[in-house]
Amino acid sequence: MFPVVRPRRLRRTAPLRRLVAGTRLHPAELILPLFVKEGITEAQPVRSMPGVVQHTRDSLREAVVEAAEAGVGGVILFGIPARKDARGSGADDPEGIVQVALADVRKEAGEALVVMADTCLDEYTDHGHCGVLTAAGEVDNDATLERYASAAVAQARAGAHVVAPSGMMDGQVGAIRAALDTDGFAEIPILSYSAKYASAFFGPFRDAAECAPQFGDRNAYQQDPAGPIGEALREVRLDLEEGADAVMIKPAMAYLDIIRQVRDMVEVPVAAYQVSGEYAMVEAAAANGWLDRDRVIMESLVAIKRAGADMIMSYWATEVARKLA
Ligand code: PBG
């Protein structure tokens, strides 16, 4: 007979478990995504994301102050313009909703947390695609790069500390880097959504940002969930060659393997985006009494961190930061 090997010794008490826990969440690594809508006088609830709203400029400022007080590391802003057009004019209009909101937020809490801007066109185009279209109705990659470059400069000028291109166009990081450098924003980092999948988990976001494509889908620019893993690694590597300062994987929980492989490959910070569908699933199940909301939220964030994310975008960022304090 041999003595029983007892891994359970180290999990017998809460202090022992706490001592050996290898994965710890911290408020500073959480980033809160926020929606701000032009032309509304009261915050509007998002139907498919209970607890999330489309903010007015005023309610946005309050939400950012709350996040800062909770110790959240950053916020990322999405703007919803009152009027949309084919080229997404609101994306780089100095008076556009996201630009004025960036300036508000930067003034209100810009010393306490990092103010980021999502750089894309889909919230601003009337057709809902992430780029401008060719006559045939396809997304025109290179014409879109010029729009992204202009939007990123407008965001930096408005006060964004970091720009985060999310459209998955080839060459977007290089185009934005060149434009920022030329216009005097060489110090502004680019957090690239490098490996972003054409995911059904983005569904609720399209309610929140009013950006569902009016025809077709995003499969020709976002990655195929079943695509080769090398494709994600290649996208990350190319973004780094083009000058990305940090990279992001999105969604998070269905792509933990990609987060881990990217973490093992790169030296830069890796972010993961716990997206709208991940949020909505938990809220819906919890509202039915089908799972323990608070424990599931913590477990999902710990899983994303353990997979290798250094920063996590989460709609629960403020709530979780308060809990961790
Ligand atoms: C594009 C963008 C999207 C999300 C973040 N940036 C939508 C999309 O690609 O369809 C999704 C975020 C979420 O689902 O929470 N600007």
Side-chain angles (χ1 to χ4, degrees):
M1 281 306 287
F2 51 86
V4 176
V5 179
R6 299 187 189 277
R8 285 181 53 204
R9 277 187 201 116
L10 291 179
R11 1 186 235 267
R12 197 171 50 84
T13 68
L16 275 168
R17 291 191 294 272
R18 187 173 58 144
L19 185 70
V20 301
T23 305
R24 257 180 253 278
L25 294 168
H26 193 278
E29 68 208 5
L30 299 175
I31 300 165
L32 176 66
L34 290 162
F35 304 99
V36 57
K37 184 169 174 174
E38 187 175 16
I40 55 172
T41 51
E42 251 177 85
Q44 305 289 322
V46 177
R47 190 182 54 84
S48 51
M49 299 179 74
V52 172
V53 300
Q54 295 176 323
H55 282 287
T56 66
R57 282 174 69 181
D58 285 340
S59 72
L60 178 77
R61 289 211 300 269
E62 288 165 25
V64 172
V65 169
E66 281 173 20
E69 283 170 1
V72 165
V75 292
I76 182 162
L77 301 196
F78 297 88
I80 305 134
R83 242 171 298 112
K84 308 192 182 207
D85 60 22
R87 58 192 293 278
S89 300
D92 58 341
D93 178 352
E95 303 299 317
I97 182 63
V98 86
Q99 273 67 250
V100 296
L102 283 165
D104 290 343
V105 165
R106 173 72 185 258
K107 193 149 54 148
E108 193 78 34
E111 307 292 315
L113 46 65
V114 178
V115 177
M116 306 188 186
D118 181 87
T119 309
C120 199
L121 290 187
D122 60 328
E123 299 104 37
Y124 306 95
T125 53
D126 51 11
H127 46 72
H129 278 287
C130 296
V132 292
L133 305 178
T134 64
E138 280 190 54
V139 171
D140 184 336
N141 190 91
D142 295 9
T144 299
L145 297 184
E146 290 173 34
R147 301 290 302 125
Y148 287 179
S150 176
V153 169
Q155 292 169 339
R157 193 163 283 139
H161 292 125
V162 173
V163 295
S166 65
M168 290 300 282
M169 294 302 130
D170 292 338
Q172 64 184 17
V173 172
I176 290 171
R177 184 72 272 156
L180 289 173
D181 290 357
T182 305
D183 281 54
F185 297 106
E187 79 284 2
I188 298 295
I190 299 174
L191 164 58
S192 181
Y193 289 67
S194 299
K196 176 173 173 182
Y197 286 86
S199 173
F201 287 102
F202 302 154
F205 176 91
R206 294 176 187 172
D207 282 344
E210 300 175 17
C211 65
Q214 297 304 300
F215 64 90
D217 53 41
R218 305 206 199 291
N219 296 350
Y221 39 104
Q222 299 178 350
Q223 289 172 230
D224 180 359
I229 288 172
E231 188 183 1
L233 303 182
R234 184 176 186 218
E235 289 280 5
V236 167
R237 200 176 291 120
L238 286 169
D239 281 0
L240 292 175
E241 284 168 18
E242 291 174 29
D245 300 282
V247 296
M248 197 186 332
I249 318 302
K250 180 181 171 194
M253 210 152 80
Y255 298 87
L256 297 178
D257 57 329
I258 307 294
I259 296 173
R260 168 47 53 194
Q261 293 203 41
V262 169
R263 175 64 289 163
D264 288 345
M265 181 178 85
V266 304
E267 288 136 17
V268 299
V270 173
Y273 198 143
Q274 182 178 54
V275 301
S276 57
E278 298 177 68
Y279 177 91
M281 283 195 303
V282 173
E283 292 291 348
N288 276 295
W290 292 342
L291 48 72
D292 181 332
R293 176 180 180 279
D294 294 2
R295 288 185 57 209
V296 169
I297 291 172
M298 285 302 182
E299 186 175 338
S300 63
L301 291 168
V302 162
I304 295 164
K305 178 93 191 274
R306 196 182 61 234
D310 304 295
M311 306 178 268
I312 305 174
M313 316 243 175
S314 172
Y315 298 97
W316 291 304
T318 302
E319 176 184 334
V320 169
R322 283 189 186 130
K323 212 166 289 168
L324 293 172

